[in-house]
Amino acid sequence: MAFVPDFFGQALNGLAYGVLLFLLSVGLTLIFGMLDIVNLAHGSYYMLGAYAGLTLIAVTGNFWLALLVAPLAVALIGAAIERTCLRPLYRRGPLDQVLLTFGLIYVFEDLVKWIWSGRIRSIPTPALFSGSVTIFGATIPSYRLFVIVFGLAIAVALWALIEKTRLGAIIRAGVFDSEMTAGMGINIDRVFTGVFAFGAALAGLSGVIAGPIQSAYPPMGASILVPALIVVVVGGLGSLKGSLAGSLIIGQAETFGKVWLPGASMLMIYVVMALILLFRPQGLFGRALK
């Protein structure tokens, strides 16, 4: 009889983890789709968001202010990295971009250790969601329910932005063919910087949201990068719908993998990825590779 509450509780945990992956992976997939860059440092923006949120909460005591300001700070860092480090490499081969973004992982990680030290730092749960609720016999921290609702609300807002606005049309055109978009008179360099900063901000937002659940520690960016890349591959490159679907699938696979196969939880997500790619090589909602 305890199976149903346990299963339901783990499904909600998987859903909460899935929306965190979505906030991280949607920026990664848009950056790859438009800029053709595999940004291996994307997880670092997740880490920087968590530490920026930690500092803002320590200074102001206000989680919600940190949730608003920390992503903006990470967006500025992302824009600076795109303008100064990545833009000179756009005409070079992908190996140079991969090596640069791989190196940035260690730069940001050492910077965090230098400023905040390398120990694990806990981010307090906002008082409004410090309790727990019982649903269908499963006791769930109310903060995780907030994460689920917040993440899904962000997904709807992103869909409306990309599908229903002129800015979204420019982004979709840039993902489809950036050269054609530039030929229509769009300042594609400015769009590139904006999309990169927006993706970094979403990663930073994910870091702040994840803080009360997973705490903040320097390798957290590198740890989350592999699941985020798998989400992008499973969902399809450059696809918002694919990023959401892939995040929810991988979130459930890893969560139930930790429960049913504690020693091989990562194996579960690789098996899921292999099965999907076997039938959909371009991912669930991906376009054919250029």
Side-chain angles (χ1 to χ4, degrees):
M1 293 296 291
F3 173 77
V4 173
D6 288 345
F7 184 88
F8 185 70
Q10 293 302 331
L12 287 179
N13 287 335
L15 188 56
Y17 180 53
V19 297
L20 287 176
L21 283 177
F22 167 73
L23 292 175
L24 185 65
S25 64
V26 68
L28 188 62
T29 196
L30 286 177
I31 289 170
F32 183 86
M34 176 171 278
L35 281 69
D36 277 338
I37 289 178
V38 180
N39 180 22
L40 297 182
H42 198 68
S44 298
Y45 301 124
Y46 171 78
M47 172 191 66
L48 291 174
Y51 277 96
L54 177 71
T55 301
L56 286 165
I57 293 171
V59 172
T60 66
N62 191 322
F63 176 87
W64 307 108
L65 183 62
L67 189 64
L68 177 66
V69 175
L72 297 178
V74 177
L76 291 177
I77 295 172
I81 292 295
E82 194 276 337
R83 294 292 295 270
T84 60
C85 299
L86 286 172
R87 185 166 295 183
L89 300 183
Y90 285 159
R91 295 185 178 180
R92 298 190 185 181
L95 180 61
D96 290 345
Q97 300 164 2
V98 169
L99 288 175
L100 173 68
T101 56
F102 187 73
L104 287 175
I105 295 175
Y106 292 99
V107 171
F108 284 129
E109 194 169 311
D110 284 347
L111 187 64
V112 164
K113 289 177 181 175
W114 179 56
I115 297 175
W116 287 282
S117 83
R119 63 188 178 89
I120 298 175
R121 308 287 292 271
S122 298
I123 296 179
T125 303
L128 181 62
F129 297 106
S130 59
S132 59
V133 295
T134 301
I135 305 175
F136 296 123
T139 301
I140 309 294
S142 56
Y143 183 74
R144 297 203 179 210
L145 293 180
F146 160 72
V147 170
I148 293 170
V149 173
F150 182 82
L152 295 178
I154 291 290
V156 173
L158 285 175
W159 172 83
L161 172 68
I162 292 177
E163 299 291 337
K164 302 295 183 182
T165 66
R166 183 175 183 274
L167 176 61
I170 293 173
I171 292 174
R172 282 186 282 121
V175 169
F176 184 76
D177 191 330
S178 58
E179 292 183 0
M180 181 192 71
T181 306
M184 296 173 63
I186 304 295
N187 187 336
I188 200 67
D189 288 342
R190 187 177 297 174
V191 176
F192 279 0
T193 302
V195 168
F196 197 93
F198 186 56
L202 287 173
L205 179 67
S206 180
V208 180
I209 290 287
I213 299 176
Q214 301 179 348
S215 299
Y217 53 99
M220 64 187 293
S223 301
I224 199 77
L225 180 63
V226 172
L229 288 172
I230 290 175
V231 165
V232 172
V233 173
V234 167
L237 301 174
S239 170
L240 175 66
K241 289 185 295 184
S243 184
L244 179 60
S247 299
L248 299 182
I249 292 171
I250 296 301
Q252 294 295 345
E254 185 169 347
T255 300
F256 279 100
K258 287 178 179 176
V259 176
W260 292 339
L261 299 169
S265 60
M266 288 299 290
L267 178 64
M268 288 282 285
I269 63 175
Y270 287 117
V271 169
V272 170
M273 179 179 69
L275 289 174
I276 291 175
L277 293 184
L278 186 63
F279 296 99
R280 294 276 301 177
Q282 72 274 34
L284 292 173
F285 296 95
R287 55 186 168 87
L289 293 174
K290 294 177 181 177

